[in-house]
Coordinates of all heavy atoms in Angstrom, one line a residue:
Chain A
A40 N -6.1 16.8 6.1 CA -6.8 17.8 5.2 C -6.7 19.2 5.7 O -6.6 20.1 4.8 CB -8.3 17.4 5.2
Q41 N -6.5 19.4 7.0 CA -6.3 20.8 7.5 C -5.0 21.5 7.0 O -4.9 22.7 7.0 CB -6.3 20.8 9.0 CG -5.2 19.9 9.6 CD -5.4 19.5 11.1 OE1 -5.3 20.4 11.9 NE2 -5.8 18.3 11.4
L42 N -4.1 20.7 6.4 CA -2.9 21.3 5.8 C -3.0 21.6 4.4 O -2.1 22.0 3.7 CB -1.7 20.3 6.0 CG -1.1 20.1 7.5 CD1 0.1 19.2 7.4 CD2 -0.7 21.4 8.1
N43 N -4.2 21.4 3.8 CA -4.5 21.6 2.4 C -3.6 20.9 1.5 O -2.9 21.5 0.6 CB -4.4 23.1 2.1 CG -5.7 23.8 2.5 OD1 -6.8 23.2 2.5 ND2 -5.5 25.0 3.0
P44 N -3.4 19.6 1.7 CA -2.5 18.8 0.8 C -3.1 18.7 -0.6 O -4.3 18.8 -0.8 CB -2.5 17.4 1.5 CG -3.7 17.3 2.2 CD -4.1 18.7 2.6
T45 N -2.3 18.4 -1.6 CA -2.8 18.1 -2.9 C -3.3 16.7 -2.9 O -3.0 15.9 -2.1 CB -1.6 18.2 -4.0 OG1 -0.6 17.2 -3.6 CG2 -1.0 19.6 -4.0
L46 N -4.1 16.3 -4.0 CA -4.6 15.0 -4.1 C -3.5 14.0 -4.1 O -3.6 12.9 -3.6 CB -5.4 14.8 -5.4 CG -6.8 15.5 -5.3 CD1 -7.5 15.4 -6.7 CD2 -7.7 14.9 -4.2
E47 N -2.4 14.4 -4.8 CA -1.2 13.5 -4.9 C -0.6 13.2 -3.5 O -0.3 12.1 -3.2 CB -0.2 14.3 -5.8 CG 1.0 13.4 -6.2 CD 0.8 12.4 -7.3 OE1 -0.2 12.6 -8.0 OE2 1.5 11.5 -7.4
E48 N -0.5 14.2 -2.7 CA 0.0 14.1 -1.4 C -0.9 13.2 -0.5 O -0.4 12.3 0.2 CB 0.2 15.4 -0.7 CG 1.4 16.2 -1.3 CD 1.4 17.7 -0.9 OE1 0.4 18.2 -0.6 OE2 2.5 18.3 -0.9
I49 N -2.2 13.4 -0.7 CA -3.1 12.5 0.1 C -3.0 11.1 -0.3 O -2.9 10.2 0.5 CB -4.6 13.0 -0.1 CG1 -4.8 14.4 0.5 CG2 -5.6 12.0 0.5 CD1 -6.2 15.0 0.3
S50 N -2.9 10.8 -1.6 CA -2.7 9.5 -2.1 C -1.4 8.9 -1.6 O -1.4 7.7 -1.2 CB -2.7 9.4 -3.6 OG -3.9 9.8 -4.1
D51 N -0.3 9.6 -1.6 CA 1.0 9.2 -1.1 C 0.8 8.7 0.4 O 1.3 7.6 0.8 CB 2.0 10.3 -1.1 CG 2.5 10.5 -2.6 OD1 2.0 9.8 -3.5 OD2 3.3 11.5 -2.8
I52 N 0.2 9.6 1.2 CA 0.0 9.3 2.6 C -0.8 8.0 2.8 O -0.5 7.1 3.6 CB -0.5 10.5 3.4 CG1 0.5 11.6 3.3 CG2 -0.9 10.2 4.8 CD1 -0.1 13.0 3.7
K53 N -1.9 8.0 2.1 CA -2.9 6.8 2.2 C -2.1 5.5 1.8 O -2.3 4.5 2.5 CB -4.1 7.0 1.3 CG -5.1 7.9 1.9 CD -6.2 8.3 0.9 CE -7.3 7.2 0.8 NZ -8.4 7.6 -0.1
T54 N -1.3 5.5 0.8 CA -0.6 4.3 0.4 C 0.3 3.9 1.5 O 0.4 2.7 1.9 CB 0.1 4.5 -0.9 OG1 -0.8 5.0 -1.9 CG2 0.7 3.2 -1.4
A55 N 1.1 4.9 2.0 CA 2.1 4.6 3.0 C 1.4 4.0 4.3 O 1.9 3.0 4.9 CB 3.0 5.8 3.3
V56 N 0.4 4.7 4.7 CA -0.3 4.2 5.9 C -0.9 2.8 5.7 O -0.8 1.9 6.6 CB -1.5 5.2 6.3 CG1 -2.4 4.6 7.4 CG2 -0.9 6.5 6.8
S57 N -1.5 2.6 4.5 CA -2.0 1.3 4.2 C -1.0 0.2 4.3 O -1.2 -0.9 4.8 CB -2.6 1.3 2.8 OG -3.5 0.3 2.6
E58 N 0.2 0.5 3.8 CA 1.3 -0.5 3.8 C 1.7 -0.8 5.3 O 1.8 -2.0 5.6 CB 2.5 0.0 3.1 CG 2.4 0.4 1.6 CD 2.1 -0.8 0.8 OE1 2.1 -2.0 1.3 OE2 1.7 -0.6 -0.4
A59 N 1.8 0.2 6.1 CA 2.3 0.0 7.5 C 1.2 -0.7 8.3 O 1.6 -1.7 9.0 CB 2.6 1.4 8.1
V60 N 0.0 -0.4 8.1 CA -1.1 -1.0 8.9 C -1.3 -2.5 8.4 O -1.4 -3.4 9.2 CB -2.4 -0.3 8.7 CG1 -3.6 -1.0 9.3 CG2 -2.3 1.1 9.4
T61 N -1.2 -2.7 7.1 CA -1.2 -4.1 6.6 C -0.1 -4.9 7.1 O -0.3 -6.1 7.6 CB -1.2 -4.1 5.0 OG1 -2.2 -3.3 4.5 CG2 -1.4 -5.5 4.5
N62 N 1.1 -4.4 7.2 CA 2.2 -5.1 7.8 C 2.0 -5.5 9.2 O 2.2 -6.6 9.6 CB 3.5 -4.2 7.7 CG 4.2 -4.3 6.4 OD1 3.8 -5.1 5.5 ND2 5.2 -3.5 6.2
A63 N 1.4 -4.5 10.0 CA 1.1 -4.8 11.4 C 0.2 -6.0 11.5 O 0.3 -6.9 12.4 CB 0.6 -3.6 12.1
I64 N -0.9 -6.0 10.7 CA -1.9 -7.0 10.8 C -1.4 -8.4 10.3 O -1.6 -9.3 11.0 CB -3.1 -6.6 9.9 CG1 -3.8 -5.3 10.6 CG2 -4.2 -7.7 9.8 CD1 -4.8 -4.6 9.8
I65 N -0.8 -8.4 9.1 CA -0.5 -9.7 8.6 C 0.9 -10.3 9.0 O 1.1 -11.5 9.1 CB -0.6 -9.9 7.1 CG1 0.4 -9.0 6.3 CG2 -2.0 -9.6 6.6 CD1 0.3 -9.2 4.8
H66 N 1.8 -9.3 9.3 CA 3.1 -9.8 9.8 C 3.3 -9.7 11.3 O 3.6 -10.7 12.0 CB 4.3 -9.0 9.1 CG 4.3 -9.2 7.6 ND1 4.7 -10.4 7.1 CD2 4.0 -8.4 6.6 CE1 4.6 -10.3 5.8 NE2 4.2 -9.0 5.5
G67 N 3.0 -8.6 11.9 CA 3.1 -8.4 13.3 C 2.2 -9.4 14.1 O 2.7 -10.1 15.0
Y68 N 1.0 -9.5 13.7 CA 0.1 -10.4 14.4 C -0.2 -11.7 13.6 O -1.2 -12.5 13.9 CB -1.2 -9.7 14.7 CG -1.1 -8.6 15.7 CD1 -1.4 -7.3 15.4 CD2 -0.6 -8.9 17.0 CE1 -1.2 -6.3 16.3 CE2 -0.5 -7.8 17.9 CZ -0.7 -6.5 17.5 OH -0.6 -5.5 18.4
D69 N 0.5 -11.9 12.5 CA 0.4 -13.1 11.7 C -1.1 -13.4 11.2 O -1.5 -14.5 11.1 CB 0.8 -14.3 12.6 CG 1.6 -15.3 11.7 OD1 1.8 -15.0 10.5 OD2 2.0 -16.4 12.2
G70 N -1.8 -12.3 11.0 CA -3.2 -12.4 10.5 C -4.2 -12.9 11.5 O -5.3 -13.3 11.1
E71 N -3.8 -13.1 12.7 CA -4.8 -13.7 13.7 C -5.7 -12.6 14.2 O -5.2 -11.6 14.7 CB -4.0 -14.3 14.9 CG -3.4 -15.7 14.5 CD -2.6 -16.3 15.7 OE1 -3.0 -16.1 16.8 OE2 -1.6 -16.9 15.4
N72 N -7.0 -12.9 14.2 CA -8.0 -12.0 14.7 C -8.3 -12.3 16.1 O -9.1 -13.1 16.5 CB -9.2 -12.1 13.8 CG -10.3 -11.1 14.3 OD1 -10.1 -10.4 15.2 ND2 -11.5 -11.2 13.6
R73 N -7.5 -11.6 17.0 CA -7.8 -11.8 18.5 C -8.1 -10.5 19.1 O -7.6 -9.4 18.7 CB -6.5 -12.4 19.1 CG -6.2 -13.8 18.8 CD -5.6 -14.5 20.0 NE -4.9 -15.7 19.6 CZ -3.5 -15.8 19.7 NH1 -2.8 -14.8 20.2 NH2 -2.9 -16.9 19.3
E74 N -8.9 -10.6 20.2 CA -9.3 -9.3 20.8 C -8.1 -8.5 21.3 O -8.2 -7.3 21.2 CB -10.2 -9.7 22.0 CG -11.1 -8.6 22.4 CD -11.9 -9.0 23.7 OE1 -12.2 -10.1 23.9 OE2 -12.2 -8.0 24.4
E75 N -7.0 -9.1 21.7 CA -5.9 -8.3 22.3 C -5.0 -7.8 21.2 O -4.1 -7.0 21.5 CB -5.1 -9.2 23.3 CG -4.4 -10.4 22.8 CD -5.3 -11.7 22.8 OE1 -6.5 -11.5 22.8 OE2 -4.7 -12.8 22.9
N76 N -5.2 -8.2 19.9 CA -4.3 -7.7 18.9 C -4.8 -6.3 18.4 O -5.7 -6.2 17.7 CB -4.3 -8.7 17.7 CG -3.6 -10.0 18.0 OD1 -3.0 -10.1 19.1 ND2 -3.6 -11.0 17.1
K77 N -4.0 -5.3 18.8 CA -4.4 -4.0 18.5 C -3.3 -3.3 17.7 O -2.1 -3.6 17.8 CB -4.6 -3.2 19.8 CG -5.8 -3.7 20.6 CD -7.1 -3.1 20.3 CE -8.3 -3.8 20.9 NZ -8.2 -4.0 22.3
V78 N -3.7 -2.3 16.9 CA -2.8 -1.4 16.2 C -3.0 0.0 16.7 O -4.2 0.4 16.9 CB -3.0 -1.5 14.7 CG1 -2.1 -0.6 13.9 CG2 -2.9 -2.9 14.1

Side-chain angles (χ1 to χ4, degrees):
Chain A
Q41 58 196 289
L42 291 181
N43 282 324
T45 61
L46 285 176
E47 189 75 20
E48 286 165 338
I49 294 178
S50 296
D51 287 355
I52 293 165
K53 279 171 82 175
T54 306
V56 169
S57 195
E58 301 294 353
V60 172
T61 305
N62 277 353
I64 294 169
I65 64 175
H66 296 291
Y68 295 116
D69 220 2
E71 281 177 37
N72 180 0
R73 287 217 203 112
E74 204 186 328
E75 65 269 26
N76 291 354
K77 298 268 167 57
V78 177

